[in-house]
Amino acid sequence: NPYILATLLFGLGLGTTITFASSHWLLAWMGLEINTLAIIPLMAQHHHPRAVEATTKYFLTQATAAAMLLFASTTNAWLTGQWDIQQMSHPFPLTLITLALALKIGLAPMHTWLPEVLQGLDLTTGLVLSTWQKLAPFALLLQIQNVNPTILVTLGLASTLVGGWGGLNQTQLRKVLAYSSIAHLGWMILILQYSPSLTLLALLTYFVMTFSTFLVFKLNKSTSINALAISWTNAPILTSLTPLVLLSLGGLPPLTGFMPKWLILQELAKQDLAPLATLAALSALLSLYFYLRISYAMTLTMSPNNLTGVTPWRFSSPQLTLPLAIATTATISLL
């Protein structure tokens, strides 16, 4: 029903906006709750056991994270007598809130729910989960000052490594995208302490790249790597561009995805964290491997069925192709 859909999408927007605009922990928590409650019906709209399972898993993790956040902010108010987000001073609630937000966006080692949940959703809801749902927790992470840098660096490095290793043996595209998301979030968290503007840049470029990747897979109606083999006959032009989108996601110059990685490595080197930068760069190679694998499946394998006469790609819908064209161009040539 379009009315219900509109209400839920409005709820999503409202939740994120409330969190953005709040300087009080209770308001921020309320925004996150509205956000979670608005996306849950969207996730369970296809009454499929797998979708319902994913929704339940998502709800439990988000509720746990929100409860942790509420507990930490109440503890902070109890210890220091104030609710202001900017004025967090006590290390205990600070650490707890950082971990709660890490669980909310799916940073390693609190990441295991993300591939499971994403695998149970259709690609459109998966896209909302991978992009929009990350905004509110990131707004809070950016506002918390003086967190122990060790925690953030550990979370970030663990995420880049887990995102690299986890995606290697996957055959399902949505799980690959989930691990890719974990790795990208790791890069953002690594640099959060030293240069918040770079974190935002990485987040925005990640959004653009993820947007085009999800839309490509949606246009192809493919959810596993095997299903990509027939994409030549579905959309030849798009199929020749997709490896560039995937390699941009992996962070290969001269594509857009290289920009945040380049600047982050430069900043880490400036902060005398060369070993950390080296580890992060090596973990990016792991991710690059599975993007290459998907590109290979799409472009270098011909499907056994002979469908050259059928060209459904001429009649695809403008609602999908226009954003796809914009996002793909941005993903390839924004550097």
Side-chain angles (χ1 to χ4, degrees), residues 63-73 96-97 99-100 103:
T64 311
M68 268 173 75
L69 190 97
L70 192 59
F71 172 65
S73 49
L96 209 53
I97 278 180
L99 291 177
L103 176 60

Side-chain angles (χ1 to χ4, degrees), residues 230 232-234 236 302-314:
I230 58 165
W232 267 121
T233 45
N234 278 350
M302 286 299 279
S303 57
N305 52 359
N306 187 14
L307 288 172
T308 42
V310 189
T311 50
W313 52 281
R314 290 182 191 280

